[in-house]
Amino acid sequence: MKRLTRLPGRVVRRLLPFGRAARRQARLDGMPAFAVPAAAIETLDGPAAHRERLLAAIAAAERRIVIVALYLEDDDGGREVLEALYAAKARRPMLDIAVFVDWHRAQRGLIGKARSEGNAGMYRAWARERGDGVAIYGVPVQNRELFGVLHLKGMVIDDTVLYSGASFNNVYLQRHGRYRLDRYHLLRHAPLADAMAGFAQRHFLGQAAVPRLNVADVPTTASLLPAIRALRQQLAEARYDVPDEPVGEGTVAVTPLAGFGRTANALNDTLLALLAGARERVVLLTPYFNLPRPVRAAVGQLLRRGCTVEIMVGDKVANDFYIPPEQPFRTIGVLPYLYESNLRRFARRHQKHLASGQLALHLWRHADNSYHLKGLFIDDDVAVLTGNNLNPRAWALDLENALVLRDPHGLLHEQHAGEWAALLRHAQRVHDYHALQTSRHYPAPVRKLLRRLSRVRLDRLVNRLL
């Protein structure tokens, strides 16, 4: 390093990335994995299929059900899942059921609605009526929801892992026609299921910071603060137990990864290593276009190297927080416009790559449904299944995880191509940044709020926290 510092600054900046790239490649080469038969991995084709397979798996469960999700909503979709869990327990009293949801999210009402005891009120009411056979726990990864949530994903039912970024409510489960699209994958592999369930049991069960939510006496957040601090320290070092199995004929390397915090985050580091190692093509999926700075830098490097980059985001009207102009405006409704503004700036910066076709931006929109996809496809041999939104909040504040699938023999190529083709059916490609609206086209309340946020530079803070 001393020798490098004597060189001109521009030379140093060119040489340093090569050292980082070497370290990242070493991380990938040494990454342990389960060798999962390709025939045991299935891509489900939408929220209705996801709901059907989830309920069928719960009904057939014999030994264990471990569910980790941001929330299980007090609506028809959430109650249908809760009903299935209680019915499964009634059929097989020895069945072990544990549900882990975010502590803060479970105990508040919906944004913009009246104050309430949240979904936890439903959990307690059902436990009073049906017993405590379905244990529901609240996991507080931060002192306040604003500063981070349980964003870990994955359901383990006996020896099957059902992985999706979706939570449980009407739109995620397409309960009444309208849906929020996510990705849905099923992996039938006992050792992988053991590792996924073991992580939750090891880091959540028995922790003073992770109490039951469906009991009469629930502690206050204030009383848990010392325990939450201890839990955060533990989660910063939490890892899945993964063997180092060779990938043989007919198998795919599957590595579960967890990530929490700004530093020493194994998931973040691996995502950057995967991007840095891309040879020809990267597909990036995110519902909220607000890439962390390291990811933006990695995408810029890919474009400079000549790689093709495709990014799919939801159109602003397909955003979870979009409020139609004919409805009363609420502050949270500014978010889709902030994300579109981010996307327009990014597209303008890379207009040359857009025009050449090296960069492709796709806006997904289908009727009044919403878009919640996240993940990566890299070349033809790597896919990342994750709940990580690939935004600053996920990068630094939330507890996240992912399944990295490395497929050197191309056994899943057809599945991945089919998933991508299905997404493109409802997507429009942006060829020029001028195709994206500017603030002068936005509704008056949005323009006013954006001006106020920009004037005091709060738009940057909002981008980092929401």
Side-chain angles (χ1 to χ4, degrees), residues 291-371:
L291 298 178
R293 184 177 298 173
V295 177
R296 290 202 312 271
V299 169
Q301 290 171 3
L302 288 169
L303 292 170
R304 286 191 292 273
R305 284 203 284 116
C307 285
T308 298
V309 177
E310 299 195 58
I311 299 175
M312 180 177 285
V313 300
D315 186 284
K316 64 175 174 291
V317 303
N319 188 281
D320 306 352
F321 302 105
Y322 178 74
I323 300 173
E326 64 272 12
Q327 295 182 12
F329 180 74
R330 303 190 306 274
T331 302
I332 197 70
V334 77
L335 288 179
Y337 301 92
L338 272 175
Y339 297 137
E340 184 176 58
S341 297
N342 293 341
L343 183 63
R344 193 177 193 275
R345 283 193 296 271
F346 176 84
R348 182 175 181 176
R349 187 178 307 120
H350 295 288
Q351 177 59 40
K352 176 182 69 175
H353 300 110
L354 275 178
S356 70
Q358 186 189 351
L359 172 64
L361 298 181
H362 305 277
L363 293 181
W364 187 95
R365 179 178 180 180
H366 181 217
D368 63 344
N369 302 298
S370 55
Y371 175 96

Side-chain angles (χ1 to χ4, degrees), residues 27-28 30-34 151-154 163 192 195-196 199 235 237-242 253-260 264-274 376 382-388 398-406:
R27 170 183 290 277
L28 293 179
M31 188 163 63
F34 295 96
H151 217 242
L152 216 68
K153 306 296 181 180
Y163 192 94
L192 175 63
M196 300 286 285
F199 183 96
L235 292 175
E237 301 177 356
R239 300 292 184 268
Y240 288 95
D241 288 335
V242 185
V254 178
T255 302
L257 291 167
F260 183 58
N265 187 311
L267 177 55
N268 291 355
D269 291 345
T270 301
L271 294 175
L272 290 177
L274 289 168
L376 295 169
V382 176
V384 178
L385 317 179
T386 185
N388 190 312
D398 296 339
L399 175 61
E400 303 280 358
N401 71 347
L403 297 179
V404 178
L405 279 57
R406 288 173 291 160

Side-chain angles (χ1 to χ4, degrees), residues 238-289:
R239 300 292 184 268
Y240 288 95
D241 288 335
V242 185
D244 191 8
E245 299 178 353
V247 181
E249 185 177 349
T251 64
V252 173
V254 178
T255 302
L257 291 167
F260 183 58
R262 296 179 186 277
T263 59
N265 187 311
L267 177 55
N268 291 355
D269 291 345
T270 301
L271 294 175
L272 290 177
L274 289 168
L275 290 170
R279 302 180 302 275
E280 297 179 354
R281 176 174 177 260
V282 168
V283 173
L284 186 152
L285 308 170
T286 176
Y288 316 117
F289 192 81

Side-chain angles (χ1 to χ4, degrees), residues 66-273:
V66 180
I67 293 176
V68 185
L70 176 60
Y71 59 85
L72 191 157
E73 195 73 59
D74 182 9
D75 64 7
D76 290 344
R79 286 189 289 270
E80 185 175 39
V81 173
L82 201 53
E83 175 67 47
L85 293 172
Y86 274 100
K89 182 70 174 181
R91 282 192 298 273
R92 295 182 176 87
M94 299 303 293
L95 182 63
D96 186 19
I97 302 178
V99 179
F100 300 94
V101 295
D102 182 72
W103 166 262
H104 302 288
R105 177 67 175 79
Q107 297 183 90
R108 66 158 172 84
L110 296 175
I111 295 174
K113 304 296 183 182
R115 291 179 61 87
S116 74
E117 57 180 340
N119 301 319
M122 174 184 70
Y123 307 157
R124 288 189 282 271
W126 282 54
R128 286 194 299 269
E129 295 174 6
R130 306 191 184 203
D132 62 355
V134 175
I136 304 180
Y137 299 88
V139 182
V141 302
Q142 302 284 4
N143 297 342
R144 296 188 178 187
E145 183 181 358
L146 179 65
F147 300 124
V149 295
L150 172 74
H151 217 242
L152 216 68
K153 306 296 181 180
M155 295 155 275
V156 176
I157 302 173
D158 290 338
D159 293 336
T160 295
V161 175
L162 187 55
Y163 192 94
S164 174
S167 291
F168 304 103
N169 67 4
N170 286 338
V171 289
Y172 276 123
L173 297 171
Q174 198 174 352
R175 190 63 171 77
H176 297 299
R178 183 171 176 268
Y179 64 84
R180 181 172 297 156
L181 187 67
D182 213 290
R183 303 176 69 198
Y184 320 93
H185 293 83
L186 189 148
L187 301 92
R188 295 178 292 275
H189 190 69
L192 175 63
D194 290 342
M196 300 286 285
F199 183 96
Q201 292 162 347
R202 188 166 61 254
H203 296 293
F204 300 155
L205 281 181
Q207 296 285 346
V210 186
R212 287 273 298 267
L213 284 167
N214 57 343
V215 293
D217 297 317
V218 178
T220 64
T221 300
S223 70
L224 294 176
L225 291 181
I228 294 174
R229 283 193 292 271
L231 178 64
R232 281 205 306 270
Q233 293 173 358
Q234 181 189 123
L235 292 175
E237 301 177 356
R239 300 292 184 268
Y240 288 95
D241 288 335
V242 185
D244 191 8
E245 299 178 353
V247 181
E249 185 177 349
T251 64
V252 173
V254 178
T255 302
L257 291 167
F260 183 58
R262 296 179 186 277
T263 59
N265 187 311
L267 177 55
N268 291 355
D269 291 345
T270 301
L271 294 175
L272 290 177

